[in-house]
């Protein structure tokens, strides 16, 4: 098996080991990981000869380019066919991937030196080098790339990243000043602005993957648009991509840890309709499917049904403050408190999701005394429906309107039609004079409309990219890439920056982020709805699919199929 780094997931190398273990609660995070495997591990004598996993997604991959991938479907695909310095395994632990061992770290915890595996290669035979990382990282933060996740480089604390991305700074676009360099062909050195308690976790995220410069330049704008226009260095390679219909992964024979990869093939189909997915599952043509309300009830007595495991991702509404009505504080407060979340999760979803008046998930990160991040503010800006109605009436008077019509946008790749209908009914019933029109768009168009703030209200989902509340909160700073609401609050921005400087003081850092979240939700540019729980069917012969993890929440890298 792959050798584990001698650190828990939340990067204790930055802190004194005992302090960090108590502050971050890694053992609890690992214990909550949903991973379906036999206690005895993989039984080689019972493995099926045909190691093929049949899967689905609700929409197509939007891009296989690590420089531009932002949606869960694309990120999930990239995590299977590409590899970064680290990888998160089925138990939620950081393991070395393209790095051959744990990095050497300077005394001030700001300089990390990684050794790249001698047996790390691209699928075309090119070796993976330190320069491949330097090239990819510099390209991500370049103004010519305009990488959607470029902001994650300052979030990681990488030296000069914030200045390189700031058009007002003299260092703007001077990518050669980024704190990363190739010491030699197989040695990569990364310099940080400050100790960053989630740095190694981030190194498993696709934005930090390497790129083979020769291949990127060869295909130019066509790079990664087809399987034969890219190369791979991960556990699998993409062999087929029928755009809009499905794609196929096969085991990478050149992956350094191929002995621990059991699946030979993973076949994906794009299936939006729930009933179609369930029928395919029943006939054995799918090995896994998520379920919505009606089907949860239908399979309630099945041993193949799994429900109730909370994951740290949130369903929420974005409120576009460019829209005159939503610029009004009272109207946003009214919308925030006009939705019965308890009924939404208990009567509609029925999958174990939890009603939320918060954005950082429950049971995600803990203080050194064991208190959950949610302990100080289990709910934020929660008020009665009577209060919401009074805020609504006051807001209407302030904008001199008797009624307001707003569009509610959601992605057609999701199974959210019942949810948006519920939200529409709640808002129209509880806030007289509010009219909601529902609009559905394909995922690419949805992202475009949200990203350019061409919407009124949108239904969104967000899961942290790494095990830290900063992944949930950093996005709401002024002009943040995924802010998309127009929200701007100087006090909030200052608290987020303060938290970034407190890498060596974990408890103080978490308290600062608690206060930042409180400001965010009291201003209500977003409306948290519920913390997600996944309800799904899984064939009993499928083992070791991990459900709860940062980034794309589902991982089958180490899955295997038993004889059946």
């Amino acid at each position: 098996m792959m050798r584990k780094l001698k650190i828990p997931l939340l990067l204790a190398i930055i802190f004194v080991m005992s302090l960090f273990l108590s502050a971050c609660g890694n053992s609890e995070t690992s214990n909550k990981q949903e991973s379906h495997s036999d206690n005895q591990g993989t039984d080689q004598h019972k493995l099926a000869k045909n190691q093929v996993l049949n899967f689905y997604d609700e929409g197509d991959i939007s891009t296989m380019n690590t420089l531009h991938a932002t949606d869960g479907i694309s990120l999930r695909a990239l995590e299977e066919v590409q590899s970064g310095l680290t990888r998160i395994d089925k138990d939620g632990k950081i393991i070395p991937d393209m790095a051959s061992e744990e990095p050497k770290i300077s005394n001030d915890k700001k300089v990390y030196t990684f050794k790249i595996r001698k047996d790390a290669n691209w699928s075309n035979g090119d070796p993976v080098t330190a320069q491949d990382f330097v090239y990819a990282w510099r390209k991500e933060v370049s103004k010519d790339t305009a990488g959607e996740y470029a902001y994650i480089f300052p979030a990681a604390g990488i030296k000069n990243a914030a200045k390189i991305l700031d058009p007002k700074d003299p260092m703007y676009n001077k990518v050669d000043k980024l704190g990363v360099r190739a010491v030699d062909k197989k040695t990569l050195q990364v310099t940080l602005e400050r100790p960053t308690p989630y740095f190694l976790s981030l190194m498993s995220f696709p934005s930090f993957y390497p790129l083979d410069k020769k291949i990127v330049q060869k295909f130019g704008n066509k790079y990664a648009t087809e399987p034969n226009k890219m190369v791979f260095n991960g556990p699998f390679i993409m062999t087929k991509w029928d755009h809009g219909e499905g794609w196929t992964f096969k085991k990478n024979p050149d992956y350094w840890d191929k002995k621990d990869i059991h699946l030979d093939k993973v076949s994906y189909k794009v299936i939006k309709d729930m009933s179609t997915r369930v029928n395919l599952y029943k006939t054995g043509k799918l090995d896994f499917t998520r379920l919505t309300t009606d089907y949860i009830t239908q399979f309630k007595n099945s041993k193949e049904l799994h429900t109730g495991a909370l994951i740290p991702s949130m369903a929420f509404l974005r409120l576009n403050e460019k829209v005159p009505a939503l610029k009004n504080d009272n109207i946003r407060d009214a919308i925030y408190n006009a939705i019965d979340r308890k009924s939404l999760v208990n009567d509609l979803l029925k999958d174990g999701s939890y009603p939320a008046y918060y954005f950082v998930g429950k049971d995600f990160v803990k203080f050194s005394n064991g208190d959950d991040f949610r302990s100080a503010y289990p709910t934020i800006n929660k008020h009665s429906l009577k209060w919401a109605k009074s805020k609504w009436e006051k807001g209407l008077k302030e904008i001199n309107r008797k009624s307001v019509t707003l569009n509610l946008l959601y992605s057609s790749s999701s199974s959210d039609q019942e949810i948006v209908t519920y939200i529409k009914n709640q808002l129209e019933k509880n806030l007289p004079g509010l009219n909601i029109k529902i609009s559905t768009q394909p995922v690419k168009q949805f992202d475009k409309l949200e990203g350019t703030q061409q919407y009124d209200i949108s239904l969104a989902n967000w899961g942290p990219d790494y095990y830290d509340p900063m992944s949930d909160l950093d996005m709401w700073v002024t002009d943040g890439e995924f802010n998309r609401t127009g929200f701007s609050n100087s006090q909030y921005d200052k608290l987020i920056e303060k938290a970034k400087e407190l890498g060596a003081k974990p408890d103080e850092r978490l308290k600062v982020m608690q206060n930042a979240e409180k400001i965010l939700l009291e201003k209500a540019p977003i409306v948290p709805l519920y913390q997600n729980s996944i309800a799904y069917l899984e064939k009993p012969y499928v083992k070791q699919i991990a459900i709860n993890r940062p980034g794309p929440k589902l991982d089958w890298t180490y899955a295997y199929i038993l004889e059946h």
Side-chain angles (χ1 to χ4, degrees):
M1 289 294 292
M2 291 175 276
R3 187 170 67 84
K4 302 286 191 297
L5 290 178
K6 298 175 183 176
I7 51 175
L9 182 59
L10 288 175
L11 316 178
I13 17 185
I14 295 178
F15 305 130
V16 177
M17 181 69 79
S18 61
L19 173 63
F20 188 81
L21 280 172
S22 60
C24 298
N26 178 66
S27 61
E28 296 208 15
T29 300
S30 297
N31 290 339
K32 291 178 183 295
Q33 185 79 12
E34 286 291 309
S35 176
H36 304 288
S37 58
D38 295 332
N39 292 332
Q40 302 300 318
T42 306
D43 187 338
Q44 298 291 343
H45 300 291
K46 294 183 179 179
L47 286 178
K49 183 178 180 180
N50 191 23
Q51 289 293 310
V52 177
L53 183 66
N54 296 299
F55 235 77
Y56 80 95
D57 238 316
E58 297 178 1
D60 196 11
I61 296 169
S62 63
T63 179
M64 287 297 289
N65 189 336
T66 56
L67 300 173
H68 294 293
T70 62
D71 63 281
I73 297 173
S74 301
L75 292 171
R76 172 73 258 132
L78 284 167
E79 285 192 341
E80 297 301 341
V81 300
Q82 308 291 10
S83 286
L85 293 165
T86 65
R87 179 173 290 271
I88 297 176
D89 75 359
K90 62 183 176 61
D91 297 314
K93 298 290 196 307
I94 296 175
I95 58 175
D97 200 350
M98 291 296 96
S100 61
E101 57 190 11
E102 58 187 278
K104 179 181 178 181
I105 305 168
S106 63
N107 291 334
D108 64 1
K109 315 302 182 189
K110 293 182 181 180
V111 181
Y112 287 66
T113 303
F114 297 89
K115 289 291 184 180
I116 309 300
R117 293 186 182 277
K118 294 180 180 179
D119 55 351
N121 294 295
W122 295 102
S123 54
N124 63 349
D126 290 344
V128 176
T129 68
Q131 188 57 42
D132 291 341
F133 285 90
V134 174
Y135 170 71
W137 292 16
R138 288 177 175 177
K139 194 169 181 63
E140 177 77 29
V141 300
S142 167
K143 69 178 179 66
D144 296 326
T145 301
E148 290 83 347
Y149 257 112
Y151 81 94
I152 209 168
F153 282 74
I158 297 175
K159 186 176 180 180
N160 295 329
K163 295 178 180 178
I164 291 168
L165 291 168
D166 184 358
K168 298 178 182 178
D169 194 281
M171 204 177 287
Y172 177 59
N173 203 42
K174 294 182 179 179
V175 298
D176 59 317
K177 301 296 184 182
L178 189 67
V180 59
R181 71 184 185 97
V183 177
D184 57 44
K185 189 174 182 180
K186 288 289 186 176
T187 306
L188 181 73
Q189 190 173 88
V190 182
T191 302
L192 306 181
E193 300 270 4
R194 56 191 176 269
T196 303
Y198 44 84
F199 176 71
L200 288 182
S201 178
L202 267 177
M203 293 303 97
S204 68
F205 191 71
S207 296
F208 294 98
Y209 289 173
L211 289 170
D212 189 334
K213 181 178 180 179
K214 179 179 71 177
I215 300 301
V216 174
Q217 292 184 339
K218 175 182 178 180
F219 292 110
N221 292 335
K222 297 293 184 180
Y223 170 73
T225 57
E226 299 292 343
N228 63 357
K229 291 181 172 60
M230 60 189 302
V231 289
F232 313 97
N233 71 325
F236 296 85
I237 59 176
M238 176 183 265
T239 58
K240 188 178 182 181
W241 185 6
D242 295 325
H243 297 269
E245 297 181 11
W247 52 92
T248 302
F249 299 134
K250 289 188 178 180
K251 182 176 178 178
N252 184 354
D254 299 316
Y255 184 56
W256 70 272
D257 192 46
K258 58 179 178 283
K259 68 181 185 303
D260 289 318
I261 306 300
H262 299 287
L263 294 174
D264 294 318
K265 178 181 175 181
V266 181
S267 179
Y268 268 82
K269 296 181 184 298
V270 175
I271 310 171
K272 298 180 180 180
D273 181 65
M274 176 63 68
S275 63
T276 301
R277 294 203 301 266
V278 170
N279 288 334
L280 290 172
Y281 180 87
K282 287 179 177 178
T283 57
K285 294 180 181 179
L286 281 182
D287 296 318
F288 179 103
T289 182
R290 291 186 66 170
L291 294 180
T292 51
T293 306
D294 293 341
Y295 292 97
I296 293 172
T297 303
Q298 180 179 330
F299 287 94
K300 65 180 180 180
N301 296 320
S302 172
K303 293 181 179 180
E304 297 176 19
L305 174 65
H306 303 266
T307 62
L310 278 181
I311 60 177
S313 72
M314 305 298 298
F316 67 102
L317 301 177
R318 278 185 171 91
L319 306 183
N320 183 3
E321 294 188 18
K322 287 176 62 176
V323 177
L326 296 177
K327 193 174 182 178
N328 183 275
D329 293 346
N330 288 307
I331 286 179
R332 294 198 310 277
D333 272 337
I335 292 173
Y336 191 101
N337 281 280
I339 299 168
D340 186 342
R341 294 154 172 82
K342 188 175 180 179
S343 176
L344 172 60
V345 300
N346 291 341
D347 301 332
L348 181 63
L349 298 179
K350 300 180 182 178
D351 59 0
S353 294
Y354 191 86
Y357 291 83
Y358 55 81
F359 196 69
V360 177
K362 287 162 51 75
D363 301 323
F364 181 43
V365 172
K366 297 188 182 298
F367 285 85
S368 60
N369 64 1
D371 287 349
D372 190 73
F373 183 86
R374 294 258 52 85
S375 59
Y377 306 114
T379 63
I380 301 172
N381 197 17
K382 180 181 180 181
H383 298 278
S384 67
L385 181 57
K386 181 179 179 181
W387 183 91
K389 289 177 181 290
S390 68
K391 285 284 186 175
W392 174 247
E393 292 171 1
K394 186 175 181 181
L396 287 179
K397 289 180 180 178
E398 289 172 345
I399 65 172
N400 196 28
R401 299 282 297 275
K402 292 184 177 180
S403 65
V404 172
T405 298
L406 298 171
N407 288 306
L408 173 56
L409 177 70
Y410 78 104
S411 168
S412 61
S413 69
S414 64
S415 301
D416 292 336
Q417 184 174 355
E418 290 181 327
I419 296 173
V420 294
T421 301
Y422 177 89
I423 292 168
K424 169 184 167 67
N425 292 339
Q426 284 277 295
L427 293 178
E428 290 183 342
K429 172 186 174 183
N430 294 328
L431 302 178
L434 177 56
N435 301 301
I436 299 293
K437 294 184 177 180
I438 294 174
S439 173
T440 179
Q441 295 289 341
V443 63
K444 276 190 176 182
Q445 183 65 7
F446 174 88
D447 286 340
K448 180 180 178 181
L449 292 173
E450 253 204 358
T452 54
Q453 285 187 254
Q454 297 181 65
Y455 74 97
D456 297 340
I457 303 174
S458 69
L459 175 64
N461 271 275
W462 178 266
D465 298 319
Y466 47 92
Y467 282 114
D468 194 90
M470 187 61 75
S471 184
D472 294 317
L473 300 176
D474 190 39
M475 63 194 287
W476 305 111
V477 297
T478 300
D479 296 327
E481 179 65 36
F482 293 102
N483 184 321
R484 298 179 174 182
T485 64
F487 171 70
S488 177
N489 183 282
S490 60
Q491 187 180 1
Y492 181 86
D493 294 348
K494 288 175 182 177
L495 287 176
I496 295 299
E497 284 306 307
K498 183 178 180 180
K500 290 178 181 179
E501 299 296 332
L502 291 171
K505 298 179 179 180
D507 280 356
E508 184 178 346
R509 179 175 176 272
L510 291 179
K511 288 179 181 178
V512 169
M513 288 192 285
Q514 284 180 328
N515 291 328
E517 183 194 33
K518 188 171 185 289
I519 290 172
L520 171 71
L521 297 186
E522 286 179 343
K523 293 296 183 181
I526 59 173
V527 179
L529 296 171
Y530 56 89
Q531 184 172 345
N532 281 287
S533 176
I534 298 179
Y536 60 96
L537 294 172
E538 181 183 68
K539 295 296 185 182
Y541 50 78
V542 176
K543 300 297 178 181
Q544 222 157 259
I545 290 180
I547 301 297
N548 183 10
R549 56 191 305 278
K553 51 189 167 286
L554 186 138
D555 181 26
W556 41 255
T557 306
Y558 304 105
Y560 56 92
I561 310 296
L562 295 179
E563 287 183 352
H564 57 280

